[in-house]
Amino acid sequence: MTDLVVGLGSSRGVRAAAVWSALRLAVLDLGEVIAFGTIDRRRDEPGLLAVIGEHGAPLHCYPAAELDAVDVPHPSEPVRGYVGTRSVAEAAALLLARDLGGGSLVVPKLRGEHVTVAVAALTPLLISSACTACGGCLRTCPQRALRPAPQRPVVVAAHCTSCGECVEICPTDAITLRDELGYPRAK
Ligand code: SF4
Ligand code: SF4
């Protein structure tokens, strides 16, 4: 199971039914969604809150300036004119993924009726700065899910089965798997 985070942008007065509809188009299994993100000024938007409350995952809200600083695939100057950031949904999904240890956009901005949705998948494990790039985990992974990178290996989420073998082999204790809520597991 992949842990997903969802960024939501909306107009004032968006209907909950429209939010559900866009969400179901963007995400096949809503049980994989562990958090939602949006812009500060929509933290009290009834249509969004109804959907998020029914789903049960927490909502994280970000200031416009923080969202605007994120490099996104579909920035919009008109949107910045309205709300102060060139992106809400894509930027919120990427900020949430960053805050939860890293991830990448898997569903770019999708438009519904007065709502936009974007989805990021979290990396299944976290590799800390304790990594010395020894390469042990790359040689150990039975799925070949780890790839070399300049500072520390990166994981290909689609290949990782969260078996934990890399965690066991790492001499510097640099690798942590996520728990079922998407947060680092206690060791
Ligand atoms: S085994 Fe640990 S220290 Fe070695 S490359 Fe992998 S994460 Fe880094
Ligand atoms: S948890 Fe298992 S499958 Fe995932 S990267 Fe580590 S060794 Fe490979």
Side-chain angles (χ1 to χ4, degrees):
M1 177 166 147
T2 306
D3 288 323
L4 302 176
V5 292
V6 171
L8 293 167
S10 82
S11 307
R12 279 274 176 232
V14 65
R15 294 179 309 115
V19 181
W20 275 123
S21 176
L23 203 49
R24 289 195 175 103
L25 273 180
V27 181
L28 281 180
D29 180 359
L30 288 171
E32 293 184 332
V33 177
I34 64 159
F36 294 93
T38 191
I39 189 168
D40 266 349
R41 61 165 61 199
R42 293 290 181 265
R43 65 169 62 249
D44 299 321
E45 186 61 37
L48 294 184
L49 293 187
V51 170
I52 291 165
E54 193 174 333
H55 180 280
L59 173 66
H60 301 248
C61 298
Y62 296 96
E66 197 175 348
L67 292 166
D68 196 42
V70 180
D71 192 17
V72 296
H74 301 101
S76 164
E77 287 300 334
V79 168
R80 177 151 62 181
Y82 293 126
V83 295
T85 168
R86 293 162 302 149
S87 169
V88 176
E90 288 181 345
L94 286 168
L95 280 179
L96 257 179
R98 179 205 67 185
D99 290 349
L100 292 171
S104 54
L105 212 57
V106 290
V107 180
K109 182 167 68 178
L110 183 153
R111 289 180 198 281
E113 186 188 345
H114 301 300
V115 63
T116 54
V117 177
V119 184
L122 300 185
T123 55
L125 49 82
L126 314 174
I127 302 180
S128 78
S129 58
C131 172
T132 58
C134 72
C137 56
L138 280 79
R139 292 189 291 275
T140 299
C141 177
Q143 306 299 327
R144 298 182 183 277
L146 291 157
R147 300 281 188 272
Q151 291 180 325
R152 62 195 86 161
V154 291
V155 63
V156 180
H159 293 186
C160 177
T161 58
S162 298
C163 70
E165 290 193 28
C166 56
V167 177
E168 296 300 319
I169 200 75
C170 178
T172 61
D173 210 17
I175 307 178
T176 308
L177 291 173
R178 291 183 188 277
D179 66 16
E180 60 281 1
L181 296 177
Y183 294 94
R185 274 186 208 169
K187 291 189 179 176

